[in-house]
Amino acid sequence: MGAITNHALQDLTGLPPVYVDVPDKSGLPGAGTSKLLNTGLTEARALAAAEPAPALHPTKAQGRRSTILGVTWILGCITGGVMLGLYSDAVQNGDAGQAAGALAVLAVLVPCVLVLTAYPNWTRRRFIRDYRQRHQAWVARFVANWPLRERLVDVDGISDVWQRVSTRTMADTLARDREAILAQGMPVGQDPATVLAGALSAVGAWARAPWSDPALYRDAQQAVDRFGELAGRRRADAEPPGPPSNV
């Protein structure tokens, strides 16, 4: 939770997310993310669990700055070569004024070129040092937030085909209803966050069931419909199809 910035906290909607993109279990940079179903995390805790690993590559702004410095270094080297040629010609021609002017320019230009030569290496070392520190801090938070992942379900990893398909359908429906509520505004006198949390919990119980329990499916579907009513979605007139019988 300590890693959540004030800006991120201000962006919280009050509704727990249906899906959470969490970093890969390996915790390695650039390993990608997994889209998991949230079955019990608040929005703030889901945000903490989804904190991405620090970027291994420089930002666009840092890249632009490096490009500008590189072009400046090239122009400085070209200008230095021209001034050196002018100074050499002035010495050969005995033009003391031109030689002094070229030396003055070189006296300013050479230190700047030397600084621009050393600056990229210094910034690269500093970036690597800062990245290591940020990554170590992130790994500590990643390990501390690991229990939060236990409240998430990999829908694609559900072995039973009917449970997997129905869980995905209900989760997608909740996600659409959540977006509808956010677009319409919170209904007066209602608590969509509590209803959504209950629906996610019911869907999670169905997704984790060791077998296709019709009662768990029915409870999950009814919870999804209750949240849908807050979003203005009417319940289906017909009873939704239940899980196939194991008999």
Side-chain angles (χ1 to χ4, degrees):
M1 292 293 291
I4 303 177
T5 63
N6 290 333
H7 178 72
L9 288 172
Q10 292 174 357
D11 290 339
L12 296 181
T13 62
L15 291 176
V18 177
Y19 291 108
V20 182
D21 290 320
V22 296
D24 186 78
K25 292 181 178 180
S26 65
L28 297 175
T33 60
S34 301
K35 188 176 183 179
L36 306 181
L37 172 63
N38 175 25
T39 63
L41 296 181
T42 63
E43 189 176 13
R45 289 188 177 275
L47 185 62
E51 181 190 3
L56 182 59
H57 304 288
T59 62
K60 291 182 179 180
Q62 291 171 331
R64 287 194 297 269
R65 184 165 60 248
S66 298
T67 301
I68 293 173
L69 291 175
V71 172
T72 304
W73 178 82
I74 293 174
L75 294 177
C77 291
I78 294 175
T79 304
V82 172
M83 289 296 103
L84 189 60
L86 291 177
Y87 172 77
S88 178
D89 293 341
V91 170
Q92 291 178 0
N93 297 331
D95 190 342
Q98 185 176 356
L103 277 179
V105 174
L106 287 172
V108 175
L109 191 61
V110 170
C112 293
V113 171
L114 292 177
V115 169
L116 290 175
T117 302
Y119 182 77
N121 293 329
W122 176 77
T123 54
R124 188 177 301 110
R125 288 195 299 268
R126 187 183 66 174
F127 175 81
I128 294 175
R129 183 184 69 249
D130 292 345
Y131 173 78
R132 287 174 178 170
Q133 294 175 350
R134 288 185 288 112
H135 188 262
Q136 289 175 355
W138 177 83
V139 168
R141 294 192 298 271
F142 180 77
V143 173
N145 290 330
W146 189 263
L148 299 179
R149 298 174 72 106
E150 300 300 321
R151 309 298 295 273
L152 305 174
V153 174
D154 182 6
V155 179
D156 294 331
I158 300 175
S159 57
D160 185 89
V161 176
W162 168 250
Q163 281 181 277
R164 181 169 64 250
V165 172
S166 58
T167 298
R168 176 71 69 187
T169 300
M170 287 188 283
D172 290 345
T173 300
L174 287 175
R176 289 193 297 269
D177 291 340
R178 180 180 183 273
E179 293 301 320
I181 287 179
L182 291 176
Q184 298 168 8
M186 297 294 183
V188 179
Q190 302 283 354
D191 187 6
T194 301
V195 179
L196 177 56
L200 290 173
S201 178
V203 173
W206 161 248
R208 289 189 172 95
W211 63 286
S212 299
D213 187 345
L216 290 178
Y217 172 81
R218 185 166 52 252
D219 291 343
Q221 187 62 59
Q222 289 174 353
V224 171
D225 289 338
R226 280 195 297 272
F227 182 69
E229 289 175 352
L230 297 182
R233 179 172 58 83
R234 296 183 58 184
R235 267 185 213 226
D237 295 332
E239 185 73 15
S245 175
N246 292 328
V247 180

